[in-house]
């Protein structure tokens, strides 16, 4: 069934798509199989063409930002993977108003706004995602998150082609949650910052970078695997369950930060999923707390919730 959708979408999109493109290199885990089709949205024309093809064929879609909260199965994704660039990688700063295309990286957003003597997005230097992925996840850290300064986001529903500017209060932003759905693509976001002091913001940024280096591992991971349960931390619970360093095949729990799971070079996404399921089960058995994945798991036959 999917193959028919994929072939039909490939015919409609012509040179806009490539077939059988590895997704691993587009993610920070660097594991996982291919996208049946991949396209990059660089202009409004591209968005229109892709929305038309999705409506005409029903091909499943997956938007990939910087792939820093994403684990794609070794089997890959049997649909159309969408990345963003071109027009959607632009950043405009006008007074305290910041308009960022969805493909702008959060560390760049943090540094550019600080250099413009604006304050409010310093935290974003530590989150290696894109603006689009950050809106979808309501990413945050160091006492703040996207919702603190977001005004609105431009969102296109690929199944209807509807192109809307959605005000923050309509995005239902909560802890690592938003109303942006799997068939929506965020094309850009507008933030309202406050006038600040460039040197103070740059000092704060340097402190965040230092803290991250000291407390979080490098290598192939996607940050926190599980959300923190109310009043506790997933990392503390995994550590308390004795699972730091725990290994399943080519994946292991980081000895440095227990809520970060590392994939070996050339490792397997299915091993990472097996580790997630095993840690979830063992933490529940040993501490009584059920942890929920923060990581987006794609292409697997069944996924833990
Ligand atoms: C070392 C490390 C540290 C991290 N620390 C933090 C942290 O402190 N706080 C935090 O919140 N997160 C953290 N993360 C996780 C991650 O960076 C964030 O969730 C980030 O917002 C994901 O953005 P992305 O562009 O990489 O999204 P992806 O991983 O590409 O995608 C994540 C989800 O968003 C969707 N998506 C992506 N782009 C779009 C778009 N344009 N339109 C619609 N949907 C889209 C995807 O389909 C997927 O469902 C960390 C990750 C790493 C690797």
């Amino acid at each position: 069934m999917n193959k028919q959708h994929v072939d039909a979408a490939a015919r409609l999109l012509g040179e806009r798509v490539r077939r059988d493109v590895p997704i691993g290199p587009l993610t920070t885990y660097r594991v996982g199989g291919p996208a049946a089709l991949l396209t990059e949205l660089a202009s409004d024309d591209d968005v229109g063409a892709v929305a038309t093809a999705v409506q005409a064929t029903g091909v499943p879609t997956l938007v990939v930002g910087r792939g820093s909260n994403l684990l794609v199965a070794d089997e890959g994704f049997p649909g159309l993977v969408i990345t963003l660039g071109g027009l959607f990688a632009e950043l405009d700063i006008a007074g305290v108003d910041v308009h960022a295309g969805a493909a702008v990286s959060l560390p760049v957003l943090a540094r550019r706004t600080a250099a413009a003597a604006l304050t409010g997005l310093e935290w974003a230097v530590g989150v290696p995602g894109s603006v689009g992925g950050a809106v979808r996840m309501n990413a945050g850290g160091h006492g703040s998150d996207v919702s603190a300064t977001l005004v609105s986001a431009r969102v296109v529903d690929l199944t209807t082609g509807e192109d809307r500017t959605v005000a923050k209060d309509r995005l239902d932003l909560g802890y690592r949650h938003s109303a942006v759905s799997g068939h929506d693509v965020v094309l850009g976001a507008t933030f309202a910052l406050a006038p600040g002091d460039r040197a103070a913001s740059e000092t704060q940024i340097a402190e965040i970078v230092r803290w991250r280096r000291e407390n979080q591992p490098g290598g192939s991971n996607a940050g926190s695997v599980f959300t923190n349960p109310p009043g506790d931390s997933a990392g503390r619970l995994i550590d308390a369950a004795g699972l730091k360093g725990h290994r399943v095949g080519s994946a292991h729990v980081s000895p440095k930060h227990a809520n970060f799971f590392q994939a070996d070079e050339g490792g397997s996404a299915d091993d990472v999923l097996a580790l997630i399921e095993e840690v979830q089960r063992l933490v529940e058995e040993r501490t009584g707390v059920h942890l929920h994945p923060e990581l987006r798991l794609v292409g697997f036959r069944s996924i833990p919730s």
Side-chain angles (χ1 to χ4, degrees):
M1 190 60 172
N2 265 339
K3 173 125 183 31
Q4 283 166 15
H5 295 170
V6 164
D7 289 343
R11 273 195 301 277
L12 280 175
L13 288 167
E15 293 191 347
R16 282 194 161 97
V17 285
R18 288 188 287 143
R19 281 184 182 264
D20 298 321
V21 184
I23 306 175
L26 303 177
T27 73
T28 53
Y29 259 123
R30 309 193 68 76
V31 295
L37 297 175
L38 184 136
T39 191
E40 180 182 283
L41 305 179
S43 66
D44 285 339
D45 276 358
D46 292 340
V47 177
V50 167
T52 302
V54 171
Q55 287 165 71
T57 64
V59 67
T61 56
L62 169 67
V63 186
V64 176
R66 297 185 85 83
S68 63
N69 198 40
L70 202 57
L71 180 69
V72 179
D74 292 331
E75 267 187 36
F77 180 69
L80 175 64
V81 165
I82 297 167
T83 61
L84 292 107
L87 178 69
F88 308 115
E90 290 178 7
L91 177 62
D92 294 316
I93 302 176
V96 294
D97 299 321
V98 176
H99 178 74
V104 171
S105 93
L106 293 181
V108 167
L109 182 65
R111 290 184 192 281
R112 289 272 306 275
T113 52
L118 296 175
T119 185
L121 283 169
E122 294 87 347
W123 64 268
V125 77
V127 183
S130 68
V131 165
V135 171
R136 169 91 194 259
M137 298 302 304
N138 189 25
H142 308 276
S144 192
D145 61 17
V146 163
S147 77
T149 53
L150 186 74
V151 175
S152 63
R154 181 180 167 200
V155 182
V156 170
D157 181 337
L158 293 169
T159 59
T160 62
E162 194 186 0
D163 184 343
R164 294 168 302 152
T165 297
V166 186
K168 176 172 71 177
D169 59 2
R170 295 274 168 134
L171 284 168
D172 192 24
L173 299 174
Y175 173 51
R176 305 297 172 259
H177 167 85
S178 77
V180 177
S181 78
H183 49 77
D184 288 330
V185 53
V186 176
L187 295 177
T190 301
F191 299 88
L193 303 189
D197 173 69
R198 177 176 178 166
S201 290
E202 287 178 344
T203 302
Q204 200 181 334
I205 281 176
E207 173 56 23
I208 290 170
V209 170
R210 189 195 59 73
W211 185 90
R212 294 258 170 181
R213 283 211 186 106
E214 266 175 27
N215 292 286
Q216 295 181 349
S220 299
N221 66 67
S224 295
V225 169
F226 297 105
T227 52
N228 290 323
D232 209 335
S233 108
R236 193 200 69 76
L237 288 159
I238 297 166
D239 194 5
L243 295 170
K244 261 193 176 168
H246 188 78
R247 179 173 276 276
V248 173
S250 58
H252 70 279
V253 176
S254 167
K256 191 165 182 179
H257 188 313
N259 200 19
F260 281 46
F261 296 3
Q262 304 283 127
D264 293 348
E265 204 180 322
S268 141
D270 295 357
D271 283 351
V272 180
L273 180 70
L275 179 65
I276 292 170
E277 289 174 329
E278 192 161 294
V279 168
Q280 189 185 47
R281 181 175 57 79
L282 291 172
V283 167
E284 188 154 8
E285 272 173 27
R286 294 174 189 176
T287 72
V289 180
H290 182 84
L291 296 175
H292 299 279
E294 171 176 331
L295 191 61
R296 296 297 149 133
L297 303 159
V298 172
F300 297 98
R301 281 165 208 277
S302 75
I303 51 173
S305 57

